[in-house]
Every structure is written in structure tokens, then in C-alpha cells.
Amino acid sequence: VGHVSEAIELEREALCIRKPLHENDPISWNKEYTISLSNLATSLKNNGQVEEAIELEIEALRIRKSMYINDPDIYVENYISSLINLGTSFYKYNKIEETLEYCKEAYEITKPLYESNQNKWSDLFTKSLSSFGTSLESIGKIDEAIKLQKKALEIRKSLYENDSNIWSNVYIKSLISISLSLKNFGDIIQAKIFQEEALFIVEHLYKKDSNIWIDKYLQCLINLSSYYNQLEKTTDSINMLKKALNILRPLNKEKSNIFVKDYLIVLTNISNYLYKIGKVNQAIQYYKEAITIIEPLYFKNFFDYNKIYINILNGLSYCYTDLKKYKEAKLYKRKSANIMKNLEDKE
């Protein structure tokens, strides 16, 4: 986590060196130049800079498509990787049509390759299954998405059982993906089972190397807390979120641009769940911590933070009403109403 900025600087430097070489002799430098484009894009995405990453990935895909057309046997792997990378980036940027286009093409190219040589193409095929499944889910085809996710999970489970050191990351990704799809399908029990398995594996890996596994560990904790809450296991849900919060507090100081939204979500959910079980004073403490984080962000970027800010303010209003502290309750309710009015005016 702490080395993302350093990685970006190094990748930019590599790209600056390779770009003029590629301009002078594109045929000789196509491969190295697209590697630099893709590496920098990955680092930028890890730093939350998705828009700039997409521009680089579009350029890499344009070049790799030309290479693939000229010599498909040699360049098919790089071309598929670029399709998946760009598709998943567009998904993060909420461009569903583009996501579906690129992920579908990757799947259609990879499927016959996997059928002809499973050992060679299993990794790329499961990536295409997962990304295409996610894109189908985004347009409401959840049944089809789950089928693809289950196929990816089946392949990855076999790979993981043969060599957990190499395949743990992709197997965990599949467990999380199918868990989220099942949740969206309304099957919370099955979603919870897959998510618990993912957490069990990640927790052991996180203890060995927290820097590598921190994102996955946080994702598992936050997802599982949501499932527990839906299953009325509120105390279990709060315990998951408190684990996440202990990690996010120091991380937010170090890399607030990456972790602040997760930090706010965790604080708000803990507050909501504490209020739900009648621990009003504890809920207020977490809501107020969230207020100190969100207020400066809200004034800088209204549209990104208005909904969660309203949630926090309303939560505080409910808490103070329960405590019969009506003056404080009115204050926070008025603030919430003002934001709602600003939102209506700006829309």
C-alpha cells in the first residue's frame, strides 16, 4: 500500500523512456511499450486514478489489437489481457456498454483456446469467465452471470487445491465474486458461505503479509458484515466492522484518497447497527467520528459524498431524539434537510 506512489513514478519513468523509442520504431518497441502502458495503468488503478488508467489501457489495446490481427498465435494472450483490463476498468467507471463489449470478446476468444489446452489457458479463461459474468450481472442477467462465476470457481478451486501458493489470490477472487452475485440474486445464505470461506483463507494470508492481502481482507470483512446484518446477526456484523475499522483508521491517514470511502462506510454501518440494537451512545461516537472525516470532503466534492453525509446526519438526529435531546436532534435534521435541498437544486 505504501509503495503505490513510488511504483507510479517508476512506471511513468519507464513509459517516458519507451515512448520516443516506440514512436521512432513502433514494430521493434510495440511489446515493451504496451507493457509500460499496462503496468502504469495497473498502478494508477491501485491508487484510485481510474480515468487516467483507462486512457493508457485504450492505447495499449489499440496497439495490441493490431499486433493480434497480424500474428494471432503470438499476441493473442496480450490482446485478451488488454480486453479484460479495459473491460474491468470501464466497469469501475460505470460504463456498462463498454464493459460488456470488451469482456464478451475476451471470453469468446479464450473459450476455444481453453477447450484445446486447459493447462495453458486456465488462468486467462477463468479471468474472462469472471469479468464477463460481472458484466452480464450489471445488465441484470444474474442467472447467466452465476453460471459463469461457478465455472470459474470450479476451475480455480482445482488449481488452488493443487498449489495454494500460486492460486490462492484468484481462488479468493472467485469466492468473493460468486458470493456477491448470489447476494444480488437474493441467496444470502449461500453468499455468506462462500464469503466465509474467502475470509478464512485471506485471514491466514493477511497475518503473514498484511501489505499484500489488506484489500482482500477488508473486502471480506465488509461484505460479510453486510450478510450478517441481513441475517439479523447484528453483533457478528459489528464485530466484522470493528476489525475493518482498526485497519482503516491508520490507512486513511496514510492513503485517504484510496481508503476514505471504505472508512466512512464502515463507520456509518457500525453506527447504524449499534443504533439498531439500542446502543445509542456508542452509535453517536462513531457517527461523530464519521462527521469529522466527511465534512471537509463534502464541501470539496458535493456529489460524491452527499448521500452518506445525509445518512450520518439523519442517524445522529435519530440518536438524539431517542435520548430526548431534541435541540441536538433538530440541528442535525436541519443540516440533512439543507443538503437534500442543495441536491434537488443542483439536479
Side-chain angles (χ1 to χ4, degrees):
V1 175
H3 301 296
V4 175
S5 297
E6 185 181 344
I8 290 172
E9 282 185 36
L10 292 171
E11 295 298 348
R12 284 196 195 279
E13 188 178 341
L15 187 62
C16 285
I17 293 168
R18 285 173 171 170
K19 186 173 182 179
L21 294 170
H22 177 259
E23 288 171 349
N24 290 330
D25 187 357
I27 293 174
S28 299
W29 286 95
N30 270 338
K31 185 176 180 181
E32 287 77 6
Y33 180 53
T34 56
I35 288 170
S36 280
L37 288 167
S38 296
N39 288 346
L40 178 54
T42 299
S43 295
L44 288 167
K45 282 192 284 189
N46 290 338
N47 203 41
Q49 296 167 255
V50 180
E51 188 171 2
E52 186 180 351
I54 286 174
E55 292 176 9
L56 298 172
E57 286 174 341
I58 288 172
E59 174 69 1
L61 181 64
R62 182 187 66 79
I63 296 167
R64 284 176 170 174
K65 184 172 185 177
S66 174
M67 295 163 69
Y68 169 68
I69 290 169
N70 290 330
D71 197 336
D73 291 336
I74 293 178
Y75 295 113
V76 64
E77 188 170 350
N78 286 335
Y79 181 53
I80 294 166
S81 294
S82 273
L83 288 168
I84 294 170
N85 288 342
L86 188 53
T88 53
S89 294
F90 275 129
Y91 178 77
K92 289 181 181 179
Y93 215 57
N94 206 30
K95 293 197 172 185
I96 303 305
E97 188 175 328
E98 291 89 343
T99 299
L100 189 61
E101 175 189 348
Y102 293 120
C103 292
K104 182 180 180 182
E105 185 178 354
Y107 170 72
E108 288 175 344
I109 295 171
T110 314
K111 188 172 184 283
L113 294 171
Y114 173 75
E115 289 169 350
S116 65
N117 190 336
Q118 292 186 5
N119 289 331
K120 181 178 179 180
W121 295 102
S122 58
D123 184 32
L124 212 51
F125 181 51
T126 55
K127 286 178 181 176
S128 72
L129 282 166
S130 184
S131 61
F132 187 36
T134 300
S135 65
L136 287 171
E137 188 175 330
S138 67
I139 58 169
K141 296 185 176 182
I142 300 176
D143 260 341
E144 292 178 48
I146 289 173
K147 286 177 185 176
L148 295 176
Q149 301 286 12
K150 282 184 175 179
K151 180 65 176 174
L153 182 64
E154 177 190 327
I155 296 167
R156 286 175 169 174
K157 184 173 184 177
S158 175
L159 294 168
Y160 171 75
E161 287 171 347
N162 288 330
D163 193 335
S164 61
N165 290 325
I166 293 175
W167 296 103
S168 56
N169 187 42
V170 293
Y171 181 52
I172 290 161
K173 281 184 180 179
S174 269
L175 287 166
I176 294 171
S177 292
I178 196 164
S179 171
L180 292 170
S181 296
L182 287 163
K183 180 205 76 169
N184 294 335
F185 195 62
D187 192 345
I188 302 299
I189 299 291
Q190 283 299 311
K192 178 183 77 72
I193 290 168
F194 284 115
Q195 189 61 74
E196 284 175 335
E197 184 180 352
L199 178 62
F200 178 79
I201 298 168
V202 172
E203 198 156 33
H204 287 282
L205 294 168
Y206 175 77
K207 288 174 183 176
K208 291 179 182 177
D209 193 331
S210 60
N211 285 328
I212 290 176
W213 295 101
I214 196 163
D215 289 333
K216 287 284 184 298
Y217 187 44
L218 285 169
Q219 187 179 8
C220 288
L221 291 169
I222 293 168
N223 288 352
L224 199 51
S225 74
S226 172
Y227 302 161
Y228 284 150
N229 182 57
Q230 290 180 65
L231 293 167
E232 298 299 326
K233 295 183 175 183
T234 311
T235 302
D236 291 337
S237 179
I238 291 169
N239 289 337
M240 291 288 112
L241 291 172
K242 284 184 176 179
K243 281 186 179 182
L245 188 59
N246 288 335
I247 298 167
L248 284 164
R249 278 192 179 116
L251 278 180
N252 187 60
K253 291 178 182 177
E254 184 185 348
K255 284 285 177 184
S256 63
N257 61 319
I258 299 174
F259 292 104
V260 69
K261 284 191 175 179
D262 283 337
Y263 184 30
L264 285 167
I265 288 167
V266 168
L267 281 170
T268 306
N269 286 347
I270 289 177
S271 307
N272 292 342
Y273 300 161
L274 285 167
Y275 177 78
K276 178 180 175 181
I277 61 174
K279 296 187 177 182
V280 178
N281 286 311
Q282 288 184 43
I284 288 172
Q285 291 176 7
Y286 288 104
Y287 278 133
K288 286 194 171 180
E289 184 179 347
I291 286 276
T292 63
I293 302 300
I294 201 169
E295 278 189 339
L297 297 169
Y298 165 76
F299 290 116
K300 287 179 184 176
N301 197 336
F302 173 85
F303 285 105
D304 273 358
Y305 294 100
N306 62 76
K307 289 182 180 177
I308 192 167
Y309 194 21
I310 289 167
N311 188 343
I312 294 165
L313 292 168
N314 285 339
L316 279 165
S317 178
Y318 298 145
C319 286
Y320 282 116
T321 299
D322 283 10
L323 294 173
K324 296 184 169 47
K325 294 185 177 182
Y326 300 116
K327 183 178 178 181
E328 291 92 338
K330 282 183 181 179
L331 172 66
Y332 288 112
K333 195 66 180 175
R334 193 180 303 118
K335 282 187 176 182
S336 172
N338 287 338
I339 295 170
M340 290 287 288
K341 186 176 184 305
N342 288 339
L343 184 58
E344 288 168 5
D345 291 344
K346 290 183 181 183
E347 286 179 344

